[in-house]
Amino acid sequence: MQLIRYKSWLLFGALALAAPEVSAKLSVDPVPASAELNDALAAKRYDEAMTLARREHEACAAGKGSDPCVGLLALQSDALTAWAVDHGDFDRDEKGEGMALRTARLLHAQVNRLKGFDGPIFASAFGNLGEMLSLYGRPVEGEQYLRDGLRYNIVRAMEFQGTERLSDAALRTSLLRLTRNLALQGRNEEARGYLAAADSLLSTLAMMGSPEAKRALPDFLAVAALVPGEASGGAADYVEAAAGYEWEREHNGEGWDPDDWAAVRGRLARDEIAFLARSGNMAKAVARFDAEPDLLRGGRGASRLEFLTRLGAALVAEGRANEGAPILAEAMPVVDTTWDRSDDRRIDAHAARGAAILALDPGQHADAAAEYRKAVSGAVARVEAADTTEGLVRAVRRYRPVFEGLLGALPPEAASSLTRGEAFEAAQWSSIGETAATLAKVSARTSRSDGPVAEKERFREEVRASVASLNREIAQWLSVPGSPDTDRELLGKFYLRDVDAVMDEMSTEEIAAIDPAYDQLVKPRPIAAERVQALLDKDEAVLFFLSDERGTSVFVLTRSGFTWHRSALTRDALAKSVERLRGQIKRDLRERWAGSVDNFDEQLAHSLYLELIAPIETSLGGATRLMTVTPVPLSSLPLTLLVTAGADTQKPQFLIDRYEISTLPSVSSLYSLRCLLRPAGDRPAGCGPGPGRNRPPSQTILFAAGDPALKGHSGDDRGIVEYSELFQRGIADPARIMAMPSLPGTRREIEGVRSMFDPGQTIALMGSAATEGSVKSNPGLANARYVLFSTHGLLASETGLDGEPGLVFTPPLAGAQSDRDDGLLTASEAAQLKLAADIVVLSACNTASSNGSAEADGLSGLAQSFFYAGAGSLLVSHWPLDDEAGAEIVTHLFAGIEKHPGAPGAAFRQAILALRAKDDTSSPAVWAPLVFVGTTDRGVR
């Protein structure tokens, strides 16, 4: 347990400031409950309390009407909600809503009609409805009700004095409910704050020796297990709690009933095992069970059911399916009647059951797929319920094993066209990342550039910017102790942040009501294979790769064909090969000054080609233009450098020699790029009817900025600099930026490209003119057809500090830096630019690179930001870009675009081939870092 901490009480005080103004009492006098009902609730005999409350409420309403009986309805709702948490809701109607949720809705509606205020009744009305919505897998919808319920309980707590206030169980329950809700949404940082406040209350009770602390601890730990981090201590809290109970039993045995002690200790042990399995520590969960197998015979309700399903999943994961399968089989009949379809516990239980079936008999694909389909159904509902891009991506990451499980249960060799389409859809759900979500959002926004939706979206973006600014100020304030005045200021900011979040949600709801089609467009979703095929030309193909623990699926779609191949190359094996090739490339870059560029392993690159590309080449049907979708780990390796032949010769052949290759953030982004980001008259027939892009009239063909005025020695590449090396309190240090290496090749690059176009239609900011402020404020940027940034790239810190990638420009004078201009255009600032460019070239280092984690998106936040700003396609780099070679590639690229304005992908290929043809730039380390992100055909015009 944690002691009372300063920050948790700051949060508690912030909540108090946010409490609503209420009148002293209701305009009616609520009829009190009977002593029997109060006793049943106090003893947590919720089955008895439900019956008593219903009878007393019905009798009261028959004689007095609804308003005076609202207190009895609140107690009925309390009992039903508590029962539902442990056992699941019951008596569901045609909408699938059970008695507890219906009663909570009725209570909330009735309270909203009353005048005045009664703390317990109002807290129940809002808190119970929020809790039930969370229980039904709708935590986003339930969050605001829980926040309101917490505020009403704060008002209640303020009415008490001294220790009585600190021991208020209702307040603690409200804090834990909101903690659980936020944890279900994956918002662990926020959840930890509320958990800390509940921890402080409980710690105070424990130090006072209150017996309530013992009774409340299991509930606290059950919620704490959902929130990883310092506030909960993880599974250690269970061990600590068990030891604490043991000590109490030994030293104060007269106060403990032995049966009660056994039940409490058993629940803690089962909860610990469930927590370990839920958090991915399967081996520890199994080891804990092995130490006390009798736990299988104890427990009851939803707590026991989760224990059984989590334990069964852990045993299967640890190779003991013969033990785990019977446990899951025992639990499954109750799972579907206890938990809602989109409940995480039900989703995970069906996924574990599917894995158990395959583990016992790999040939039972049909039975395993049936279980996984149930899990996928709930997972899709959870993903689609996400209201924000961030929430959607978190949900996809959470349920990725479920989608991949279904994929593994559907064998390609026996797949019908229907099954192949099902696998294709599951693979797409699994691969959705931040860039795909960003591209869907900007495409939807672009297609609704005028009208009420555009107005609401602009309002929402302003709110987001305001919230981000406030959060930065709060973070800076928390770094140093404050005075009473600043305490008050901080609390006000907490409240304002909360208000803005509510306004943001209201905006989302209003947009969905105004334009339901927009609400569908704004979220990336799988696209059917036949829809993809309708968008392709006869010489085009989409190659979609997805690796998991069983192998790598390759989906090939052409205008007339759809093939699914599965390689035995697992995600881990592929990741090792990719990392090995990237390591060799890095070594070539380090040693090129000595003339050594012979580290690249052509044989390994050829083996990847044989495993991933060769088996499906006959399915390409003569296609020469490939659009590839490559989630991690393949996303960090350009496919252009796969060796197709001659790996043991002096001049091997690469994939770029055979095909024009581009990258797509997702399969669905093909629709976004070809249908929503194009003028209506330039859309393929396969798009069908619908809005296109309204392109502003352009007076600028090229907008270029780079060659910042830096004083460091002339650099060979466009630098890699860590975020933590440049920043002080959130603003870049001009002196440190100024000391970075100068890049003479960037000026030659910009001047060479500029010379290809009419001087009156180009803007080039170089040297001292290439400042961040001048880029942001130049009106030519918004309507330029081509945008080129040629400078240093900045990597987000890998040291644990908060940071983001960016592009370096000429810094301001020391002391003159500001948020508007500090010499660094960060990803979040790039997202606020307004672009209508066919292509944005980020001619700098690592502008494509993700952070390298297993869950990372294939493209960096910087690339995503330029898509969000409105780019139709991107040219980005996967590793340090040679200054001379970068200039040559970009110059060749724009020369090709000038000759064939609608084919940037083809121009990019020719630029690479020209570089490869020269001996001094023939190494993949030099010519392969850049990748074209977009469609292979005509650019957006």
Side-chain angles (χ1 to χ4, degrees):
M1 296 288 291
Q2 310 292 321
L3 296 178
I4 297 176
R5 288 174 297 178
Y6 177 62
K7 288 183 183 179
S8 67
W9 282 110
L10 276 179
L11 177 58
F12 193 76
L15 295 171
L17 274 186
E21 294 183 5
V22 292
S23 56
K25 59 178 296 185
L26 287 178
S27 55
V28 296
D29 291 326
V31 173
S34 66
E36 291 81 5
L37 174 54
N38 286 326
D39 288 345
L41 286 168
K44 297 186 177 181
R45 300 194 304 272
Y46 297 121
D47 51 350
E48 178 184 347
M50 286 188 297
T51 302
L52 289 171
R54 179 179 56 81
R55 290 174 181 171
E56 293 183 22
H57 177 254
E58 289 176 352
C60 176
K64 298 179 179 295
S66 61
D67 288 358
C69 306
V70 68
L72 294 170
L73 181 61
L75 294 179
Q76 183 183 355
S77 179
D78 289 344
L80 285 166
T81 301
W83 174 271
V85 169
D86 275 345
H87 302 278
D89 208 352
F90 62 95
D91 190 22
R92 295 179 183 253
D93 60 15
E94 66 279 0
K95 297 179 180 179
E97 295 188 350
M99 178 67 74
L101 179 54
R102 295 200 304 272
T103 304
R105 288 194 188 280
L106 177 63
L107 174 63
H108 180 261
Q110 188 167 331
V111 161
N112 277 338
R113 294 196 304 268
L114 296 176
K115 293 181 180 180
F117 170 71
D118 182 283
I121 294 174
F122 275 61
S124 293
F126 288 86
N128 290 346
L129 181 54
E131 178 76 344
M132 289 309 304
L133 289 170
S134 295
L135 193 66
Y136 272 70
R138 291 144 66 179
V140 174
E141 185 180 349
E143 179 186 345
Q144 191 55 45
Y145 294 112
L146 289 174
R147 289 185 181 276
D148 289 338
L150 174 57
R151 290 167 183 163
Y152 286 122
N153 270 317
I154 290 172
V155 173
R156 291 180 62 196
M158 289 177 175
E159 297 174 356
F160 295 99
Q161 299 296 324
T163 59
E164 191 176 6
R165 171 184 170 182
L166 291 174
S167 63
D168 185 70
L171 177 57
R172 185 176 59 252
T173 298
S174 288
L175 287 165
L176 292 178
R177 282 178 168 182
L178 186 54
T179 299
R180 180 166 53 240
N181 177 281
L182 294 169
L184 289 173
Q185 296 185 55
R187 292 157 60 184
N188 290 328
E189 287 298 325
E190 296 172 73
R192 275 193 281 271
Y194 293 100
L195 182 63
D199 191 355
S200 295
L201 292 176
L202 198 54
S203 296
T204 303
L205 292 176
M207 288 188 290
M208 292 165 53
S210 170
E212 187 183 339
K214 302 172 190 175
R215 295 191 294 269
L217 186 57
D219 289 330
F220 172 82
L221 293 173
V223 175
L226 293 170
V227 189
E230 62 176 78
S232 69
D237 270 339
Y238 290 104
V239 178
E240 181 181 345
Y245 275 107
E246 186 71 37
W247 188 91
E248 289 286 351
R249 188 174 71 88
E250 291 177 356
H251 292 78
N252 301 292
E254 68 280 0
W256 285 96
D257 181 280
D259 293 336
D260 182 56
W261 157 246
V264 170
R265 193 179 191 288
R267 176 182 173 182
L268 285 171
R270 281 185 287 272
D271 284 352
E272 180 188 355
I273 291 171
F275 165 71
L276 288 168
R278 182 171 57 240
S279 56
N281 295 309
M282 300 301 192
K284 290 183 179 179
V286 170
R288 179 68 183 85
F289 168 70
D290 287 341
E292 204 169 347
D294 288 345
L295 291 171
L296 271 177
R297 293 197 291 268
R300 64 180 179 84
S303 177
R304 170 176 169 76
L305 187 59
E306 181 169 10
F307 162 68
L308 291 176
T309 55
R310 299 293 184 187
L311 174 61
L315 288 166
V316 173
E318 288 301 298
R320 292 163 60 175
N322 58 324
E323 300 173 64
I327 295 174
L328 289 168
E330 174 191 346
M332 294 313 294
V334 190
V335 164
D336 289 346
T337 58
T338 302
W339 294 324
D340 188 69
R341 173 176 69 112
S342 58
D343 191 302
D344 277 346
R345 296 167 294 186
R346 178 170 167 177
I347 294 170
D348 292 342
H350 280 298
R353 176 72 170 147
I357 292 171
L358 285 179
L360 291 176
D361 185 353
Q364 293 295 319
H365 291 285
D367 291 343
E371 293 292 337
Y372 274 116
R373 286 189 182 100
K374 294 178 180 178
V376 165
S377 174
V380 169
R382 293 297 295 271
V383 173
E384 290 187 326
D387 277 348
T388 64
T389 300
E390 296 80 8
L392 184 144
V393 173
R394 283 197 301 265
V396 167
R397 290 174 179 172
R398 164 67 176 82
Y399 302 112
R400 188 165 286 154
V402 175
F403 299 126
E404 292 177 353
L406 176 59
L407 195 63
L410 300 171
E413 61 275 7
S416 64
S417 59
L418 183 63
T419 303
R420 191 164 57 243
E422 186 179 21
F424 184 53
E425 180 178 341
Q428 288 184 74
W429 276 121
S430 177
S431 67
I432 289 174
E434 294 175 5
T435 307
T438 295
L439 191 53
K441 192 169 186 177
V442 71
S443 300
R445 184 191 67 198
T446 301
S447 72
R448 303 295 199 276
S449 58
D450 297 311
V453 168
E455 181 181 345
K456 291 295 181 183
E457 275 290 18
R458 282 191 288 271
F459 163 76
R460 187 156 58 174
E461 291 307 316
E462 290 173 3
V463 168
R464 286 198 185 97
S466 174
V467 171
S469 176
L470 284 171
N471 286 342
R472 283 193 296 270
E473 291 182 35
I474 291 170
Q476 291 177 355
W477 189 94
L478 286 174
S479 65
V480 293
S483 66
D485 289 340
T486 52
D487 286 1
R488 175 68 62 176
E489 181 183 356
L490 174 65
L491 298 182
K493 287 178 179 179
F494 265 116
Y495 174 52
L496 181 57
R497 178 180 62 173
D498 187 58
V499 169
D500 280 343
V502 174
M503 291 170 65
D504 191 18
E505 175 131 350
M506 289 172 58
S507 179
T508 301
E509 294 171 354
E510 290 174 357
I511 287 174
I514 293 170
D515 189 349
Y518 177 87
D519 190 50
Q520 296 295 309
L521 283 174
V522 80
K523 298 174 184 176
R525 287 175 171 81
I527 181 172
E530 56 269 21
R531 188 71 183 276
V532 174
Q533 292 174 286
L535 296 174
L536 298 177
D537 289 333
K538 61 182 181 180
D539 61 345
E540 289 182 317
V542 169
L543 273 63
F544 174 27
F545 303 83
L546 186 71
S547 298
D548 57 40
E549 60 184 13
R550 297 181 179 89
T552 299
S553 287
V554 186
F555 297 92
V556 182
L557 295 95
T558 64
R559 194 168 188 173
S560 58
F562 176 24
T563 304
W564 175 23
H565 168 72
R566 193 166 186 88
S567 162
L569 193 63
T570 66
R571 179 165 45 210
D572 288 344
L574 181 57
K576 290 178 181 177
S577 295
V578 169
E579 183 56 34
R580 182 177 173 186
L581 287 175
R582 283 180 59 88
Q584 292 164 349
I585 286 170
K586 290 178 182 178
R587 184 177 175 185
D588 275 344
L589 291 171
R590 287 195 304 268
E591 296 179 359
R592 72 185 186 277
W593 61 271
S596 174
V597 286
D598 300 323
N599 297 299
F600 185 72
D601 190 341
E602 284 90 356
Q603 288 290 351
L604 178 56
H606 183 57
S607 70
L608 288 180
Y609 162 79
L610 294 175
E611 195 70 38
L612 300 175
I613 305 295
I616 54 88
E617 276 194 285
T618 56
S619 302
L620 293 177
T624 57
R625 296 187 288 166
L626 309 183
M627 290 175 282
T628 64
V629 182
T630 56
V632 289
L634 201 57
S635 59
S636 61
L637 189 76
L639 295 186
T640 54
L641 55 62
L642 295 186
V643 174
T644 59
D648 53 353
T649 68
Q650 290 294 317
K651 291 189 176 182
Q653 297 297 302
F654 293 88
L655 201 64
I656 189 70
D657 296 321
R658 293 187 182 180
Y659 305 104
E660 176 187 328
I661 302 172
S662 68
T663 297
L664 293 174
S666 68
V667 176
S668 63
S669 63
L670 176 65
Y671 174 77
S672 296
L673 291 168
R674 286 208 162 158
C675 299
L676 297 179
L677 290 180
R678 286 200 177 170
D682 196 28
R683 290 153 44 97
C687 292
R693 183 175 198 164
N694 294 324
R695 186 184 180 91
S698 176
Q699 298 299 320
T700 305
I701 298 296
L702 173 71
F703 180 95
D707 183 34
L710 306 175
K711 295 183 178 179
H713 64 83
S714 177
D716 293 323
D717 59 51
R718 298 179 187 180
I720 307 174
V721 182
E722 284 293 334
Y723 183 97
S724 57
E725 295 176 8
L726 290 182
F727 278 75
Q728 294 180 344
R729 298 185 66 82
I731 297 179
D733 182 349
R736 294 184 181 182
I737 291 181
M738 188 63 75
M740 293 178 68
S742 61
L743 295 170
T746 61
R747 177 174 286 268
R748 290 194 295 273
E749 177 178 302
I750 292 174
E751 290 177 340
V753 172
R754 188 183 187 186
S755 67
M756 302 174 191
F757 302 100
D758 181 344
Q761 293 183 303
T762 64
I763 297 173
L765 305 177
M766 294 180 286
S768 59
T771 67
E772 180 191 0
S774 63
V775 169
K776 291 178 177 177
S777 61
N778 195 296
L781 177 62
N783 58 18
R785 176 159 292 166
Y786 309 123
V787 174
L788 168 62
F789 292 115
S790 185
T791 182
H792 283 291
L794 181 73
L795 288 179
S797 175
E798 297 174 357
T799 63
L801 297 175
D802 290 334
E804 54 181 326
L807 298 175
V808 171
F809 291 97
T810 300
L813 297 175
Q817 67 270 31
S818 65
D819 290 339
R820 177 71 180 169
D821 187 353
D822 60 1
L824 179 71
L825 181 69
T826 63
S828 60
E829 292 171 319
Q832 297 177 42
L833 300 175
K834 304 301 180 185
L835 304 177
D838 288 0
I839 183 171
V840 173
V841 177
L842 304 182
S843 185
C845 288
N846 290 274
T847 50
S849 299
S850 67
N851 64 19
S853 71
E855 295 184 340
D857 198 80
L859 292 174
S860 72
L862 190 62
Q864 295 165 27
S865 294
F866 279 100
F867 264 135
Y868 189 82
S873 59
L874 296 174
L875 192 68
V876 290
S877 61
H878 273 295
W879 54 77
L881 184 63
D882 182 88
D883 193 33
E884 294 292 336
E888 188 169 342
I889 292 175
V890 172
T891 303
H892 273 92
L893 168 69
F894 278 100
I897 290 176
E898 176 67 359
K899 291 179 181 177
H900 305 286
F908 171 65
R909 176 173 180 262
Q910 292 303 317
I912 296 298
L913 295 180
L915 204 65
R916 281 203 54 236
K918 299 165 60 176
D919 290 340
D920 58 343
T921 54
S922 62
S923 168
V926 179
W927 60 259
L930 288 167
V931 291
F932 178 74
V933 186
T935 58
T936 61
D937 66 339
R938 293 178 301 158
V940 181
R941 299 302 304 272

